[in-house]
Amino acid sequence: MDISFLGGPAPQRGVGVVAPFDFALDRELWRWVPDDVSLHMTRTPFVPVEVSLDLARLVSEHQTLGEAVRTLNAIAPEVVAYACTSGSFVGGIAGERAMCEAMTWAGAVPSVTTSGALLDALAELGVRRVALVTPYTVSVTRALEAYVAEAGVAITGCAFMGLTRHIWQVPYRDVADMARQAVPRQGTADALFISCTNLPTYDVIPQLEAELRIPVISANQVTMWAALRRLGTPAVGPYQALTDPSARIGPTVPGPIGPGMAGPVGPAVAGSVGPAVADMPGVGDGPDTEQQQEGWT
């Protein structure tokens, strides 16, 4: 059968993705990508360290990033994205900008990071107050709060899971439960951010936006949105406020979320998991306790 009349395959535009060695959600990233764009994945070298601030620093070293980006040069992507939240916020805003510069220097193409994309997404949505959900330990969660606060965004609530491994195995129901703890009632936050590119979120975003009545953004979502925006191409995310402007809703009247919501959680001072979390029994008493304890501020 002669199929030459089809003329394909269609031209593809490339997005290079640098991910940590333990990244397990390649398929989720592809769900935000239109058909005429291809993702070209590479990973940082393995290091025997659990999810922590130490790991975040190791997988974001400029030499490591440069070597990863150079492995993509032969494919000639039009933009490179670093898909790791903690690795891109651990050095603060200045550190994130330096990472982008290092990747751009290595690949001679525009570069974005998950944490830089987060700040761009908050600005796009006009968010001044945000609630956070993380799968991290207390110390990593504190670092995320400090990064967001440095950008001038107030943090109204934060729920964390205390995990140091196998984050990609967390089910949607657990993500939703933590979201309800971070946003106990309408009107307490302008948006919710679900951190960590290894935490599944694609299908839960529309559900949570409908329930919480605020935009819900996630690490993988903002990463793909920012990378594709550099190409002038919208991300594919129906019923998600960031990627689908028709899904955006206006201000809401404060009130209960509905049946099954978590108990009231007091708002925290911007940038501080600190006192509220540290004073919880068992939290911060030692590494083992920190790894296992869930909590919120």
Side-chain angles (χ1 to χ4, degrees):
M1 176 180 175
D2 182 9
I3 60 172
S4 61
F5 70 92
L6 294 176
Q12 292 282 296
R13 307 182 71 184
V15 173
V17 178
V18 178
F21 63 89
D22 64 344
F23 181 73
L25 298 181
D26 303 51
R27 173 60 187 145
E28 174 159 292
L29 291 185
W30 276 94
R31 297 181 72 182
W32 276 287
V33 178
D35 290 341
D36 63 342
V37 175
S38 288
L39 298 183
H40 308 302
M41 306 286 298
T42 189
R43 283 171 168 76
T44 61
F46 170 78
V47 289
V49 179
E50 294 180 332
V51 177
S52 61
L53 291 176
D54 287 339
L55 179 61
R57 296 184 184 101
L58 287 170
V59 298
S60 62
E61 292 177 343
H62 289 190
Q63 181 179 349
T64 298
L65 295 177
E67 291 173 355
V69 171
R70 282 188 285 273
T71 67
L72 298 168
N73 286 346
I75 309 169
E78 296 181 46
V79 62
V80 173
Y82 177 65
C84 179
T85 324
S86 60
S88 51
F89 67 60
V90 69
I93 291 178
E96 189 277 332
R97 290 173 179 166
M99 290 175 62
C100 287
E101 292 175 1
M103 291 190 294
T104 296
W105 183 86
V109 294
S111 301
V112 301
T113 73
T114 300
S115 295
L118 163 62
L119 299 188
D120 288 346
L122 294 177
E124 171 75 11
L125 296 169
V127 173
R128 303 302 302 167
R129 304 173 303 154
V130 67
L132 306 174
V133 166
T134 89
Y136 310 132
T137 59
V138 177
S139 59
V140 183
T141 301
R142 280 200 189 102
L144 171 60
E145 287 206 333
Y147 175 82
V148 173
E150 185 183 356
V153 179
I155 298 156
T156 61
C158 180
F160 64 93
M161 300 179 187
L163 302 180
T164 60
R165 58 169 70 92
H166 300 155
I167 291 172
W168 65 88
Q169 297 177 357
V170 173
Y172 280 154
R173 65 176 176 273
D174 290 354
V175 176
D177 286 345
M178 298 300 280
R180 296 182 186 110
Q181 291 182 23
V183 187
R185 66 186 70 83
Q186 292 179 20
T188 59
D190 301 327
L192 170 71
F193 173 60
I194 305 173
S195 190
C196 190
T197 54
N198 234 0
L199 188 66
T201 57
Y202 187 94
D203 294 304
V204 79
I205 290 174
Q207 169 195 333
L208 286 175
E209 288 191 330
E211 180 178 343
L212 303 178
R213 306 296 294 170
I214 55 175
V216 174
I217 56 179
S218 75
N220 281 331
Q221 181 203 46
V222 299
T223 304
M224 288 295 95
W225 168 80
L228 292 168
R229 190 163 71 154
R230 297 301 191 279
L231 302 183
T233 300
V236 179
Y239 309 110
Q240 299 177 16
L242 180 63
T243 58
D244 182 1
S246 66
R248 299 178 188 179
I249 54 180
T252 57
V253 177
I257 292 174
M261 75 172 189
V265 179
V269 176
S272 113
V273 156
V277 173
D279 292 344
M280 292 175 59
V283 176
D285 296 335
D288 293 337
T289 302
E290 181 184 69
Q291 292 174 6
Q292 298 174 5
Q293 178 70 48
E294 289 186 3
W296 56 87
T297 65

